[in-house]
Structures are given as structure tokens and as C-alpha cells.
Amino acid sequence: MEKKEKKAAVEKKDKKAAESKSSGITPKDMTICKATEQMLEKAKRDGVETAFDRAASMKACPIGADSACCKHCSMGPCRLNAKDPYSKVGVCGATIDTIQARNFARMVASGASAHTDHGMSMLDVFREVVHGKIKDYKIKDTVKLEQVARSVGIETEGRSVEDIAMDLYHELERTYTQVEGEIPFVSRVPEKTLETWRKLGIVPRGAMREIMEIMHRTHIGVDQHYENIVKQCSRTALSDGWGGSMVATEISDILFGTPTPVQADVNMGCLKEDYVNVIVHGHEPNMFESMLASVNDPALIEAAKEAGAKGINLVGMCCSGAEVLSRHGVPHAGNFMSTEAILVTGAVDAMAVDVQCIKQGLSSVAKCYNSYLFTTNPRCHIEGAEHIELVEDKPRECTDEVVVKAIARYKNRTAQVEIPNISNPGIHGFSHEYIQYMLGGSFRASYKPLNDNIINGRIRGIAGVVGCCNPRVKHDWVHVELVKELIKNDVLVLQTGCSQISLAKAGLLTPEAAHLAGDGLKEVCETVGCPPVLGLGSCVDNSRILIATSEVVKEGGLGESIADLPAAGAAPEWMSEKAISIGHYFVASGVYTIFGATFPITDNTKFKDLLFSGLEDQGLGTWDFAADPYEMAKKMLAHIDKRRKALGLDKSRERVLFDMAARREMAA
Ligand code: NFS
């Protein structure tokens, strides 16, 4: 981002904040989500405050936004001058580059910890399922179990499911605990990409070791060379993407099923006034799976009916919502910036949360509407919320109690109920396995048709558009505008997390949305019958995108490493440290990655140069920034075209019409 552009963006934000304090900003300015807007209007009438209001009235700290302060020791906190970054150093002598690199590294460490701790929890559940201690879940997808086992070199021929599973558990545990060597899933990385990592010394050992080392190195007086700190950022982020996150996805698929396309509704219209409404919001699918069992329990359904309800209605939010949407077609009520707004409906009888992206503000909004907010995970308690702990081998005790209390709340509902009458159907549940099948057919499941279509230019490139929503920008707007621009330009878009929900609400996860795509992409979508925007699930499911890119490289014809692909990634409205870890593992994997909203960096520094161009020179990907979605699309397309040119594909984008033979080949 140019200094001027960033300054203008900050000034605009500040102006917006000042205006809204004097009520300059209306809900219409805050979001393009009509349901959220309607609830923000109601919240205003009810005198209820949400994160949108707080963001509007709280000016972002400009020094923090530029990452120009250091508070890692009590000789400070030290503030440097972002306008003249080399005019000062911290008390210990730390330069702006060291300070920014340390701050960035700690964001990577925190984000990577969140994903790897989640992945490790899934692995704990898996181990106890295999041991027979946890009986509520079982290995549902044995085909995937064998595939994953083989991918890390475990023999599967003629062996029992339990034996394979136990071997897989031990192998994958190394992802976290190994002190020397390489994490198991490097076996999936294209050879040339892995070669680059080895050359740079950034192949992760185990996530615990990498995260511990990054925390050590960013302590006062340890690593004071930004280049060396960034190296450890890469190693740690890779232990998330190809480690913790990938294990979370693969184990969840093995336990709860690999998603296949399913039609489901998204948006607040999923709530039903005359049903007991239970929302699950969080990140770990096991609580959600048990809640699904609870709401289908005949005794609890009967209890709900006795309380005067027609039944129990379960809906998801955020990432575990996105997983259960993908696996079971459970409706999804909205993304991160709608979690307070949905409580304003008054129709939520209970919201059960586990970990990550749970706003503390939910507690006071829930109170205003007499809705229950339950925390369920020992890692996440919230003052003012009731805690009902989910014990992994007795999960129903927790989820049944949540439902029982929700029924009681339904019976005594006092809040006025207003449910936005909006729900958006779409197709969810794509996985890298399904993309292979969808394009190649069951006899020849392969990425070849995708590669061929990229080579012949019908598909210009692939983009991953992922990540959070952030009240500092117009909710959902940046996601939607960016994706529309990309598909219009024949870029196939893969999505996860809150971004996928933004686009689902905008109706782009339907095959009919193909009419918004450029001619080439439209032809492919119409032939295969798929949407131009494919939803792959939650944020840990970004690992599905990594595997897909790896498969595309291995299929051939598009270069030898992930860095060679005409592909780009974006998190247009990011806000969490997890997003920084994800962004950095995509960059370290070779992907051009652009963020919107803001970027924690000072312009005109060596650290910025390294992130925004130096890493690419080392054979990795690159970071970039643009607040405006059209500018972002332009930059992504420019990168895709640069890669096409390097591959000699810049001439192949003349229009190729499908003849019958080509259609038959694709549909086979
Ligand atoms: Ni991802 Fe999911 Fe959403 Fe952002 Fe939060 S819910 S893990 S971090 S806000 S996409």
C-alpha cells in the first residue's frame, strides 16, 4: 500500500468514526447484509450496542495500525514515528524493522496456535474414538482414512480400520510434538516447493517447537534481524497450513464425513419463530455434531412440543457452522459480524459457543433479549455467560442441557421477536476430492480437466477468497465486489470461512450465478453444473485449497511449484491473527496474497520490502494490500496474467467454443 493511500484510508476511517459518534453512520452504511441491517436498526430502537457501534466510535490507534510500537518489555512501550520510520529506535535500540517483524511474528504465532490447538483437539478426540473411550462419534469415512494414511506412508492393504487409525494418530501427532525432522504432510507438497523450503531452512518440525521458538526469538534482546524473524514466521505459519489446520480438516472428515455438495440455506431467515432456536457458533465440529444428535433426540423434541413449540431448529454460525453446513446441510445464519445482530431477533433461545471469534459483547446483547449464551469449552469462558463444559467422552450431557434450557427459554419467551425474512439457497460442501471427481468423473477423477481449462484459457486462473469480516469496512461488501470482479474475468473462486457466507448471502454459490462469470468460466460451470464460486468450508479448510493447488501442480502443465501457478489469494475484510497466519502460510507456499481493510506495517521500510517483494525473489509468494475491491481484483488479475505469461499461456486465451466431444469429455 502506498503511504498516501494508507494515510487516506486511515483518515477516512477516523472521519467515519467521528461522524458516527454524532450518529452520522446508519446501519445501511455499515453492511450490505439486509438481515444484519434490519437487526442493527432494531438494536438502535432497543438501545442495544454492537461491535459496529463500538468500531464507529473507537478510533483505531494509528501507531498500532502502522505496527510502529513495541511493548515487549517494560523499558517501553516504545513508539516510533511511522512517518519517518528510521528517525528513532526503541530504548533497547530496536529498529522499526525489528519491531514490525516481532509484532508480525507474534500475530503469526497466535494465529497458528489457534489452528494447531484446534487440530490437536480433533486429534485427541480421534485417539479416544479409536481407543473406544469416546463412543458418541466413530470413524465415518474409512475411504478417507485410508487415503490420508497412505499419503503419509502408512501401509493400508489388508489391515483393520483400527490399526490404520492408530498408526495415523501416532504419525499425525508428530505435526505438533516433533522436535526434529519434517512434519508428516510435507509429503503432499510439490517437490520443487519443498526444495525451496529446504533451501531456506523453513520446513516445519513440529508446531509446538516452531511456536515456542517464535515466542523466544521475539523476546527482548533475542532475534534482531527482521529477515531472520520472517524466516521463523514462515516456518511457523507452514506448521499451521500444512500441519495443524490440515490435521484438523482431515481428522474431522474422517470422523464426521468428507463433504460433498449439498444445497442449504444461509441467512437469518433460517430462524423459525415457532420453533426452539438453538445456535452453535465457534470452530470445533465435535460440539456441533453432538448438538445435532441432541436436537434430533425424540425425547427432547417431545419436550419442545410440550413447551408449545413445533420442534427444535438448529442453525450454525461462523466456522463450525460452515463445516456442518458443508457436511450435513445444516442451515447457517451468518458470519462473524452477524453474531450479535442475530441475538437482536429475540428468537434465539440459546447460543452455544466453543472457541475463537466469540465476541465478548455477545454476553450483554444476549442479556438484553433474555437469550441464553453458553460457553462450553474449558479454553473459553465469558463473564456473564453460563458455562456448561463439554466433556469429550460425554458430550451429550452438555448439548442436552443446552437444549433443555433453550426449551425453557422458549416457554418463557418475553422478548419481542422479529426475524428477517431472508434466506439464500446455495450449494456448499466442495472438497478437493470432490473437485477432482466433479471435473474428471468417477472413472477418471483427476485435475486434468481443470488444468486443461486453465491452459486453454477458459479459466484464467484460480483465486482463494477467504477470511473474516471487519466492522471497519462495509460488512460483506468488499468480499462480494471482489469475487464478482474475479469471476467476471474468468477466475474460478474457492472460498472458506466468513467470506463464503458473504457470497452465499449474495447468491453466488449457485450454478445460476454462472451468468455473472466471463464467457470461459461460464462455459465450464454450465458444462459441469457447478457454481463459479466453490465453498470449501471453515478457515482450517483452507488446507483443502493448499491440497488443491498441490494437485494442480502435480497434474502437470502449469509449472513445477505452487509459486508458478496462475493463482492468487485474498482476505478482503480480515481482522483476526489467524488470518495473518493463513496469509503467511499461503505466501510461504508460493501464493500471491492480498489483504484488505488494513495491514500492520509501516511504509518505506525494509521489512515491508521483504514481505511485499523480497519473499517472491526467494521463490515464495508475496504479500500485497489494497482496501478497494476493484483495485484488489486488478492486482490479483495482474499477478495471474504475469504467471500465465511466464508459463507461455498468455496467447492461449482466445475463445474456444465447446464442441460435443469436449462436452462429453468434461462430463464423463
Ligand atoms: Ni476465520 Fe472462523 Fe470468521 Fe475470521 Fe473468525 S469465524 S476461523 S477468523 S471471523 S473467517
Side-chain angles (χ1 to χ4, degrees), residues 115 283 318-319 336 356-357 467-469 497-499 539 575-576 578:
H115 292 138
H283 284 77
C318 283
C319 279
F336 175 68
Q356 299 176 20
C357 304
C468 326
C469 20
C498 290
S499 185
C539 275
M575 63 85 202
S576 77
K578 288 181 286 174

Side-chain angles (χ1 to χ4, degrees), residues 302-352:
E302 200 39 52
K305 287 186 174 157
E306 273 166 24
K310 286 191 179 148
I312 309 168
N313 182 39
L314 177 64
V315 291
M317 292 196 93
C318 283
C319 279
S320 53
E323 286 198 29
V324 181
L325 169 73
S326 300
R327 292 203 177 92
H328 308 299
V330 172
H332 193 290
N335 53 21
F336 175 68
M337 281 316 294
S338 302
T339 54
E340 287 170 310
I342 200 160
L343 292 169
V344 177
T345 60
V348 178
D349 296 301
M351 179 184 274

Side-chain angles (χ1 to χ4, degrees), residues 192-489:
K192 177 127 182 271
T193 303
L194 185 56
E195 210 177 276
T196 307
W197 295 356
R198 285 183 178 143
K199 204 173 78 208
L200 296 171
I202 57 170
V203 186
R205 292 159 292 183
M208 287 175 171
R209 175 128 210 200
E210 303 311 349
I211 293 164
M212 181 166 65
E213 191 172 311
I214 218 172
M215 294 308 284
H216 175 196
R217 282 164 65 168
T218 51
H219 187 275
I220 156 79
V222 187
D223 203 348
Q224 285 149 113
H225 198 304
Y226 67 100
E227 281 178 7
N228 207 38
I229 298 173
V230 170
K231 239 167 126 179
Q232 186 57 16
C233 288
S234 302
R235 207 174 191 185
T236 307
L238 290 172
S239 80
D240 171 357
W242 297 87
S245 282
M246 199 171 279
V247 170
T249 295
E250 301 300 59
I251 291 297
S252 301
D253 280 357
I254 291 169
L255 287 176
F256 309 124
T258 305
T260 53
V262 56
Q263 171 152 352
D265 285 339
V266 168
N267 218 326
M268 293 193 202
C270 299
L271 293 178
K272 296 179 185 164
E273 182 161 3
D274 40 12
Y275 279 68
V276 175
N277 289 305
V278 177
I279 291 186
V280 175
H281 156 32
H283 284 77
E284 298 196 338
N286 49 331
M287 193 259 279
F288 211 137
E289 294 283 332
S290 292
M291 192 67 81
L292 201 51
S294 292
V295 302
N296 284 304
D297 185 317
L300 290 171
I301 295 173
E302 200 39 52
K305 287 186 174 157
E306 273 166 24
K310 286 191 179 148
I312 309 168
N313 182 39
L314 177 64
V315 291
M317 292 196 93
C318 283
C319 279
S320 53
E323 286 198 29
V324 181
L325 169 73
S326 300
R327 292 203 177 92
H328 308 299
V330 172
H332 193 290
N335 53 21
F336 175 68
M337 281 316 294
S338 302
T339 54
E340 287 170 310
I342 200 160
L343 292 169
V344 177
T345 60
V348 178
D349 296 301
M351 179 184 274
V353 301
D354 49 42
V355 287
Q356 299 176 20
C357 304
I358 322 289
K359 295 186 201 82
Q360 187 163 359
L362 290 175
S363 165
S364 54
V365 183
K367 264 203 184 74
C368 293
Y369 296 95
N370 297 319
S371 293
Y372 277 116
L373 175 69
F374 296 113
T375 52
T376 62
N377 191 293
R379 295 168 185 81
C380 169
H381 287 230
I382 296 177
E383 226 183 308
E386 199 174 314
H387 188 76
I388 306 177
E389 191 145 320
L390 181 121
V391 180
E392 275 154 4
D393 55 352
K394 289 180 270 190
R396 286 288 303 275
E397 285 182 6
C398 163
T399 53
D400 283 2
E401 192 179 340
V402 168
V403 173
V404 167
K405 293 208 160 155
I407 293 170
R409 192 270 184 186
Y410 178 89
K411 205 169 166 187
N412 301 306
R413 260 189 206 172
T414 48
Q416 189 209 348
V417 171
E418 177 183 330
I419 301 173
N421 186 19
I422 307 170
S423 54
N424 309 99
I427 311 289
H428 298 263
F430 289 89
S431 55
H432 65 88
E433 290 92 340
Y434 192 83
I435 296 173
Q436 206 168 26
Y437 161 76
M438 169 178 85
L439 294 161
S442 50
F443 295 111
R444 292 180 291 127
S446 106
Y447 274 81
K448 191 166 186 305
L450 177 63
N451 284 29
D452 287 350
N453 277 303
I454 296 174
I455 292 165
N456 69 29
R458 285 186 192 107
I459 295 177
R460 185 162 171 180
I462 309 171
V465 180
V466 306
C468 326
C469 20
N470 183 330
R472 301 246 173 234
V473 300
K474 195 172 191 175
H475 173 218
D476 288 342
W477 181 76
V478 198
H479 288 296
V480 172
E481 292 307 303
L482 171 65
V483 172
K484 279 187 180 163
E485 274 308 294
L486 291 171
I487 62 169
K488 196 165 86 190
N489 285 285

